[in-house]
Amino acid sequence: MHHHSTTTRRSPAPPPPPQHPTLTLLFTLFLSLNLTTAWRPYPQHQKNNITELIYNGYKKYEGSSEFVKLKYHMGPVLTENIAVHIIWYGTWPTSQKKIIREFINSISDSANRAPSVSGWWKTVQLYTDQTGSNITRTVKLGKEKNDRLMSHGKKLTRLSIQSVIKSAVTAKTKPLPIHPKGGLYLLLTADDVYVQDFCQNVCGFHYFTYPSIVGYTLPYAWIGNSAKLCPGVCAYPFAVPNYIPGLKPVKSPNGDVGIDGMISVIGHELAELASNPLVNAWYAGQDPSFPVEIADLCEGIYGTGGGGSYTGQMMNDQDGATYNMHGIRRKYLVQWVWNHVLNYCTGPNALD
């Protein structure tokens, strides 16, 4: 069991330039190849050798599949109806909760106009298990638990996150249901909570709980509100990193940079939880401790032509806000996911 492995959602922002002058040429090559790599969760595993990243990397732009060896490793995918149970950690205004709840409820709402969130989920539904059953189209908001007083403090580690989930499912009043078959557990942290590795190119991750801590094996994800800590890293393109002079942020569709940035990370994690819930189903790469999953392959791509540091073609509403899909009463910007049938990244707003 890999106690210290989680599958991590890297920042959608273009990577910072290397500090070492001799690496500049390699870095330019690295950028020009449009690669993403599985981010390595602990420093002792980190590889700083850019050439290795190039040769062991994965192309992540729309039209390329040369490097991508996404494989099915025979584990389960989520074929039964999904209930997304949320733990709101810290102080969460109702207006922020609404944006997130409506996004989750939009996944199964086929009534929304195209391009829609449910159209985006159709790519996720293409993934199957050993029996040929597809991932479910039904994703619903489950139960919610507030942890306003931050039961495990303002700084969480990857292990203490599991204890937060344990507290929520074993609470004396209104515990979250234990729902091992179709239940996903989202721990969402407010903008003043720090989580291990947050902002160091990490905006969220998913894994499963250990029975030794929680009592059950439950697929879960953590996503943080980056508004105060690092919006240029985790809420890109609604905020931009300060190492790229002249890059202008775009206007967020729901008027909240931190939450609009979280939406794409939540989408990323839900897609990977559905297709790789126990980290033994759909991923690329040789090492299950550092899998490259269906959303990792399309990190930072929101439209046709995306790749490298280019987001691809997005849409603008009459107020000038940028989005790429419609949900229930709202617009959202959500990254694309890898389509293993076509062998490239796809999304509902693709220009044919």
Side-chain angles (χ1 to χ4, degrees):
M1 180 191 295
H2 298 279
H3 270 277
H4 293 306
S5 301
T6 43
T7 77
T8 302
R9 197 274 191 178
R10 301 173 76 238
S11 160
Q19 300 309 302
H20 200 289
T22 56
L23 283 176
T24 308
L25 183 67
L26 271 173
F27 184 76
T28 314
L29 174 61
F30 176 54
L31 271 189
S32 69
L33 284 174
N34 299 302
L35 305 182
T36 184
T37 53
W39 179 84
R40 307 189 186 290
Y42 283 72
Q44 68 266 30
H45 299 304
Q46 270 181 304
K47 301 283 196 286
N48 297 318
N49 182 340
I50 301 274
T51 45
E52 191 201 65
L53 294 184
I54 290 169
Y55 296 114
N56 297 341
Y58 300 87
K59 288 205 179 184
K60 69 166 192 180
Y61 61 95
E62 248 200 303
S64 167
S65 60
E66 251 171 277
F67 282 126
V68 176
K69 296 282 187 285
L70 186 74
K71 290 196 180 78
Y72 177 52
H73 298 264
M74 304 311 279
V77 302
L78 298 184
T79 56
E80 303 204 14
N81 293 356
I82 294 170
V84 180
H85 305 300
I86 299 180
I87 300 163
W88 303 101
Y89 195 85
T91 305
W92 280 88
T94 310
S95 59
Q96 293 187 336
K97 287 181 172 179
K98 259 193 184 142
I99 298 169
I100 292 171
R101 285 184 190 125
E102 286 186 16
F103 171 68
I104 292 166
N105 281 328
S106 295
I107 294 173
S108 294
D109 193 330
S110 48
N112 298 322
R113 57 185 268 230
S116 67
V117 177
S118 62
W120 168 81
W121 189 256
K122 282 199 168 74
T123 302
V124 180
Q125 284 175 250
L126 293 171
Y127 290 87
T128 53
D129 65 11
Q130 293 186 41
T131 69
S133 303
N134 292 73
I135 289 174
T136 179
R137 65 173 291 277
T138 306
V139 180
K140 288 281 187 276
L141 191 60
K143 299 292 184 198
E144 300 174 42
K145 190 87 185 142
N146 290 302
D147 192 336
R148 278 186 209 89
L149 300 177
M150 296 179 279
S151 59
H152 291 71
K154 266 199 164 177
K155 287 190 171 167
L156 298 176
T157 64
R158 296 188 174 220
L159 279 179
S160 71
I161 280 175
Q162 299 218 6
S163 301
V164 173
I165 296 169
K166 181 189 181 166
S167 300
V169 297
T170 57
K172 293 220 169 18
T173 56
K174 297 191 180 162
L176 288 183
I178 302 286
H179 192 169
K181 275 281 201 288
L184 296 181
Y185 298 78
L186 289 191
L187 173 63
L188 305 180
T189 50
D191 61 9
D192 57 348
V193 178
Y194 180 73
V195 172
Q196 181 181 351
D197 303 316
F198 193 14
C199 297
Q200 292 162 34
N201 220 14
V202 178
C203 307
F205 64 77
H206 76 90
Y207 207 56
F208 50 84
T209 60
Y210 301 131
S212 57
I213 300 177
V214 179
Y216 302 88
T217 302
L218 304 170
Y220 73 91
W222 158 74
I223 300 100
N225 182 346
S226 68
K228 286 183 183 158
L229 293 165
C230 56
V233 177
C234 293
Y236 181 84
F238 306 125
V240 295
N242 47 16
Y243 53 76
I244 306 181
L247 192 61
K248 296 270 187 289
V250 300
K251 187 177 170 186
S252 74
N254 296 290
D256 188 316
V257 166
I259 302 300
D260 276 313
M262 280 183 89
I263 291 294
S264 190
V265 193
I266 291 169
H268 176 120
E269 299 305 340
L270 289 176
E272 293 183 344
L273 279 164
S275 57
N276 201 25
L278 302 180
V279 200
N280 60 2
W282 289 94
Y283 64 88
Q286 296 311 302
D287 185 347
S289 355
F290 309 121
V292 178
E293 301 174 82
I294 70 169
D296 296 326
L297 291 165
C298 306
E299 190 62 77
I301 295 176
Y302 304 90
T304 298
S309 57
Y310 179 56
T311 56
Q313 294 202 33
M314 304 178 292
M315 300 185 291
N316 291 96
D317 67 14
Q318 56 272 42
D319 303 328
T322 296
Y323 69 103
N324 66 349
M325 57 191 77
H326 297 96
I328 301 167
R329 292 185 298 278
R330 291 178 189 274
K331 301 180 175 88
Y332 295 106
L333 184 70
V334 186
Q335 71 152 85
W336 285 10
V337 292
W338 186 257
N339 180 322
H340 70 300
V341 178
L342 298 173
N343 248 9
Y344 49 82
C345 300
T346 52
N349 57 312
L351 305 171
D352 296 327

